[in-house]
Amino acid sequence: MRLKTRAVLFAIAVLPALLAAQAGVGRTEYTVTFPAPEHRWAQVEATFTRVQGALEARMSRSSPGRYAVHEFAKNVFDLRAFDGSGKELTAVRVNPHQWNVAGHDGTVRIQYKVYGDTIDGTYLAIDTTHAHMNLPALLIWARGFDDRPVRVTFTPPPGSGWKAATQLYPTSDPFTFTAPNLQYLFDSPTELSAYKLRQFSVTNPGGKTYTIRAAVHSDASDQDIDQYAAGLEKIVREAEAVFGEFPDYEPGTYTFLADYLPWAGGDGMEHRNSTVVTGRALRGALGTAAHEFFHCWNVERIRPEGLEPFNFEDANLTDSLWLGEGFTQYYGPLIRTRAGLIDPAQAIGSFGGLANDVINAPGRQFRSAVGMSHAAPFADGARSIDRTNLSNTFISYYSYGGAIALALDLTLRERSAGKITLDDFMRAMWRVHGKPGGPAPGLVGRPYSVNDVRDRLADVSGDRAFADDFVARYIRGREVVDYATLLARAGVALVRRNPGRAWLGDVGFDGTRISTLVPWGSPAFVAGLEQDDVVTAVDGKSVANAPQIQEALAAHKPGDTIALAFNRRSGPATAAVTLQEDPALTATLVEATPGGRLRPEEKAFRDAWLGSRQTKN
Ligand SMILES: [Zn+2]
């Protein structure tokens, strides 16, 4: 049975490749040059062969790992099409993202220029120091050609001293790379610059060795770069300890593409065998690296349904960014603490922030964690011209999911006396959904659903009723766990940040005008106040600026009712606001609280949670 299964799998894996070779499925070829890097555009030529019928060439609308649409066609200009003999063809713009090319001889060559001056994980940045390229922002592709192999040749400007760093497959030419298919190609950001390289190797339990590289394009000192690379190595080894092994990095390498430049935006973007991490300064950049490296398991291979395969024609919708992003958000500081890069108080502070968001932000009244994931296309790098009320109806799946991870980790530890942890859950997800891989590099064969999450949780906890209940209440439902009780097991106090302070809601003022949405359900909201109302008096005393409003509030206790006079669109109005105690929470180590003492059992719980998982040699 086992052998037969293997034989069938072999046939499935090999046959399409053989058939493709016999049928002569063409390869897509790109050349990318930089005739005027000072003007920040690239010249691209894309060649599609064995084209049947009209070629439907498109610029992507989205990019893996960024959940809004970005309309990469907007920066494409001077596009022309030719056939294999060099005869110019008409490229018909059939929609904002697509050019159709007919009347060819089986070969279509498309030439265009594309502008880019944004350094981050999504866009394109070309200047005299580098070409920092997220490939969906750079390369045109064609419908129906997704499975074709790809070859890309970059030509740096003469005398630039640029080298290439990428997860694309290398060839004998240092500037020519290949990809097995479109999904892998577009998952492969590429940096051309005079970057500095640091690398180390890691070995999996089976003996296979991989090179972890950091290509650092930065004006940071060599010493800072060495320190950054040393931190990366600690993170990489501690992250591996969560899963027990590294993924099989297909080209044999995993690369941190680090651009830390004064004109860069702060960002991080995960990919299968690399990550783009960017920002103004290299110091303090390890937090982003820890998050992104965890993604090489979680999202890149343990991938939620809805992100597989990635749809380059629209925003991608998934139920599970609370796991893909949120659990990763939790593991970032956890791994840095375990690796000794930050101290436990810092991690606890960030975990307290996650819990506070979910407990106190109004969005949980309206959407579950799954619902927050559905809102990603409007939140993740999305721009709205019109006003939205997302600050009232949305909680980032990073913090919501991070808080769920925190709750689940502490709950599993508590109910198993420390024998079962969130690491076991992640390993179960890895075993079933990640490690088996996909039909080709860049593809995931078993993306997971929320039901799969529930089943894995039942597997690791050995308690289906617990798994059903947890998912129903805290992931599909809108309930919140009792964080204070859970954190207390680890000697962590979740306490009011501003005890005794009278509070009308987290309302922003510009002068005396309310400049933010009034948080849903807050005292000011209940009293009927809203954005753009201009407060004129508190308790009958006129106010001229925000400090005077705060001063008037400070004279009150929670439970007091104050009289507000204000002007709104319909004219003067008044409201009686019953103040509450500021509900904001903060987490601190119990021994750092007045009179607090860490008990031995709490210390043991905390050490097992926040201590290194690496096997000591
Ligand atoms: Zn992430």
Side-chain angles (χ1 to χ4, degrees), residues 268 270 291-292 295 324-325 328 398:
E270 67 277 8
H291 176 101
E292 301 307 331
H295 271 315
E325 289 298 351
T328 305
Y398 285 84

